[in-house]
Amino acid sequence: MKAKRRELPGFPNQRGEITWVTVMLVLAIAAGGYGAWVAGPIYWTQLEAKQVVKDYANRSIKNPDEESLKAGLLRDLASLDRDPGVAPDGTPILRPAVDVQPADLVWERGGTAEAPVLHVAFQYDRHVPLPWLKDRFFDRHFEVDLQLDVSRADWGGRER
């Protein structure tokens, strides 16, 4: 006598049938992929902005010219990515995604002579259009606030 196999709801006995579980899984994967495709680049730009700040902190170890460092930092941040915008005359333009004004940039040296630090902070907003959804956008506010060690490396070689 053969034992009867019990079928579970949502899991058919025959292969190849589409169930509500399969449909929900495909929709969840598609929604996650769309979200990563739309939001991934703005978070990648945030990571790049932090890397640019760290690069300029490293440059500040040997370069005492604060104004040229700040100008270069603002220029490099503005070149990271572009967001769509509207000019005052109504024409569409591309504007810098990381748009930081000189007055909004905090660049402060501190610490002690043995352990100098550089504090760099700024904020910016992103206005991101959603592809395939006409006239839909989402806004995100980002902050970069880093306290960086700017002491010279001591490799134990010669005396200073």
Side-chain angles (χ1 to χ4, degrees):
M1 185 165 139
K2 219 175 191 183
K4 185 175 180 185
R5 187 171 166 182
R6 183 176 162 194
E7 292 183 21
L8 298 174
F11 295 97
N13 197 12
Q14 296 178 346
R15 290 182 163 227
E17 288 186 26
I18 296 176
T19 65
W20 66 272
V21 174
T22 306
V23 171
M24 294 305 289
L25 259 162
V26 168
L27 289 176
I29 290 170
Y34 179 78
W37 179 55
V38 170
I42 67 169
Y43 288 101
W44 184 259
T45 302
Q46 168 71 355
L47 179 68
E48 287 178 327
K50 287 182 180 180
Q51 288 301 114
V52 168
V53 169
K54 290 176 184 177
D55 177 45
Y56 274 88
N58 286 335
R59 291 180 190 190
S60 75
I61 294 172
K62 290 187 175 184
N63 185 355
D65 186 7
E66 304 281 329
E67 293 306 314
S68 71
L69 288 170
K70 289 193 280 188
L73 174 65
L74 294 173
R75 182 188 62 246
D76 286 354
L77 288 173
S79 69
L80 287 178
D81 198 6
R82 300 275 180 207
D83 282 342
V86 179
D89 63 355
T91 59
I93 60 169
L94 290 176
R95 57 182 178 79
V98 184
D99 190 16
V100 181
Q101 300 305 314
D104 299 330
L105 177 66
V106 175
W107 180 284
E108 300 169 336
R109 290 190 186 260
T112 62
E114 295 81 28
V117 294
L118 176 66
H119 177 229
V120 180
F122 56 88
Q123 301 174 6
Y124 64 98
D125 295 314
R126 298 283 308 259
H127 185 69
V128 182
L130 295 172
W132 302 327
L133 302 175
K134 186 176 176 150
D135 299 328
R136 300 280 181 159
F137 296 89
F138 72 94
D139 296 320
R140 288 290 178 263
H141 178 76
F142 291 100
E143 295 180 16
V144 173
D145 191 355
L146 298 172
Q147 193 91 6
L148 302 157
D149 176 22
V150 289
S151 59
R152 290 183 179 258
D154 183 13
W155 298 100
R158 59 184 177 200
E159 294 292 322
R160 290 185 196 188

